[in-house]
Amino acid sequence: MVLRLATIGRNGQTAQALAAVCARNPAIDLRQADRAEADLRDATSLARFIDAARPDVLINAGAYNLVDRAESEPGEAMRVNADGPLALARICNTLSLPFIHMSTDLVFDGSCDHACTEADAPNPLSAYGRSKLAGEQAVAAANADAITTRVCWVYSEFADSFVAKMIGIARTQPRLKVVSDQIGAPTYAPDIAHALLRLAQQMHGGQHNMPRLLHLAAPWTTSRAAMADAIMAESRRQGGPFAPVDPVPTATFDAPARRPLNARMSGALATDLLCLSWTAWDEGLKRSVAGVLGRHSG
Ligand SMILES: NC(=O)c1ccc[n+]([C@@H]2O[C@H](COP(=O)([O-])OP(=O)(O)OC[C@H]3O[C@@H](n4cnc5c(N)ncnc54)[C@H](OP(=O)(O)O)[C@@H]3O)[C@@H](O)[C@H]2O)c1
């Protein structure tokens, strides 16, 4: 039986990774709306898209993701990241439509002495983090069956990923300054897509025992600077641009938004419940760099 899946968001990393994964799976019929078709700031456009797509499961892969800019436009971040998901949760509740929402490690303040689990208390440091937490809470209050997945440090060959950003900067700058004291779990977007798909299949089956909050994170840790270093080494290996990485402390950047130094999240619960496997970091990196370089040459 074909599963009809719909996503809010079409051009983002997760949305594109889902499209790539679903394209190889004839049992999935995927409909995706970009923000022109379904705008999280416009509940009517969301309802119209859902009505036309008639999905079995809806995934919200759209968000206001400009972490620094959110400090100066917190209202806009709230509209997209809290009011929009609330509208989706209400529509899905009315239609008894299974709903998967997406959130972030930035709901945490980094004070965990372990990789944060679903049981740890959030305490966002930024306007973006507060808007995402408000979205999680609004979804949970409006729709008891909705599931929120938190992801962190997503990377891939798609959209404006960290890989594309680093390679883009290396095309024009002789050296890259990257923070070395922020650590997290780089997670390959296609792995997140597979996890969302598995979750959607379980929810569509009806009889599932899934918790309403799940962390989708790979089981390794690195720093932003080490990540950039590895991207540069792989880019050079594949004949792409290279620039040496200067590791610097977060404090040297005057970024408007505060970010937790420890952004580690544990994906153990979801890995166990959904039988997930995670693409090894060096393999995901190879594919991501190849995809980004291919895009540029194509
Ligand atoms: N990337 C990360 O490292 C990371 C880390 C933690 C959490 N997350 C969370 O993961 C989820 C997916 O993020 P991502 O990185 O895949 O996205 P992304 O690459 O940053 O792309 C943003 C997506 O949001 C959509 N969007 C933006 N404004 C919108 C609006 N007003 N109405 C409807 N859609 C709108 C965009 O629509 P278009 O298709 O029209 O461009 C695009 O599909 C989000 O909830 C994000 O907060 C991501």
Side-chain angles (χ1 to χ4, degrees):
M1 202 172 79
V2 172
L3 173 72
R4 290 169 69 93
L5 202 58
T7 66
I8 303 299
R10 184 187 191 106
N11 303 302
Q13 262 197 98
T14 308
Q16 285 196 44
L18 260 166
V21 166
C22 292
R24 296 192 295 270
N25 189 338
I28 309 291
D29 173 2
L30 179 68
R31 309 286 160 102
Q32 297 188 293
D34 62 15
R35 72 191 85 177
E37 184 177 2
D39 191 328
L40 285 159
R41 297 166 300 182
D42 173 9
T44 308
S45 71
L46 300 174
R48 197 186 311 122
F49 167 65
I50 293 167
D51 188 47
R54 301 206 170 278
D56 297 314
V57 180
L58 180 76
I59 299 175
N60 178 24
Y64 175 108
N65 275 346
L66 305 170
V67 177
D68 284 317
R69 203 198 288 177
E71 295 300 315
S72 55
E73 41 186 49
E76 180 70 359
M78 280 288 177
R79 277 181 78 195
V80 178
N81 291 342
D83 299 350
L86 171 61
L88 289 174
R90 283 183 174 150
I91 295 167
C92 291
N93 199 41
T94 305
L95 298 174
S96 298
L97 170 61
F99 176 45
I100 302 174
H101 178 50
M102 294 186 71
S103 189
T104 172
D105 56 295
L106 292 182
V107 297
F108 293 114
D109 62 12
S111 63
C112 279
D113 59 1
H114 50 272
C116 286
T117 72
E118 293 81 351
D120 287 305
N123 180 32
L125 301 176
S126 62
Y128 168 77
R130 285 188 288 279
S131 72
K132 293 295 290 184
L133 181 60
E136 289 184 6
Q137 291 168 339
V139 165
N143 186 330
D145 296 322
I147 295 182
T148 291
T149 57
R150 290 188 185 131
V151 299
C152 61
W153 288 31
V154 184
Y155 76 96
S156 69
E157 55 272 42
F158 303 113
D160 191 24
S161 69
F162 188 68
V163 177
K165 279 197 183 94
M166 291 301 107
I167 289 177
I169 298 173
R171 289 186 199 284
T172 58
Q173 309 279 324
R175 306 186 73 87
L176 304 183
K177 262 192 203 170
V178 186
V179 294
S180 55
D181 52 357
Q182 288 179 27
I183 57 165
T187 304
Y188 189 44
D191 291 346
I192 293 171
H194 279 291
L196 291 170
L197 207 48
R198 239 174 241 186
L199 191 53
Q201 282 159 337
Q202 297 257 353
M203 291 170 84
H204 181 47
Q207 302 296 321
H208 72 85
N209 242 344
M210 289 292 146
R212 299 306 186 249
L213 183 60
L214 277 174
H215 289 180
L216 304 177
W220 33 74
T221 300
T222 189
S223 71
R224 280 289 186 200
M227 208 174 158
D229 222 23
I231 292 166
M232 284 297 100
E234 185 57 31
S235 174
R236 179 160 64 180
R237 206 186 62 76
Q238 295 189 24
F242 172 83
V245 174
D246 294 327
V248 293
T250 298
T252 59
F253 276 98
D254 205 10
R258 282 178 69 204
R259 291 168 173 79
L261 296 186
N262 170 18
R264 290 184 305 145
M265 280 201 320
S266 169
L269 181 63
T271 302
D272 184 35
L273 292 174
L274 295 168
C275 300
L276 303 177
S277 56
W278 302 99
T279 304
W281 160 232
D282 55 349
E283 178 57 30
L285 186 63
K286 258 187 229 161
R287 291 187 211 162
S288 302
V289 169
V292 169
L293 294 179
R295 241 200 280 164
H296 205 261
S297 68

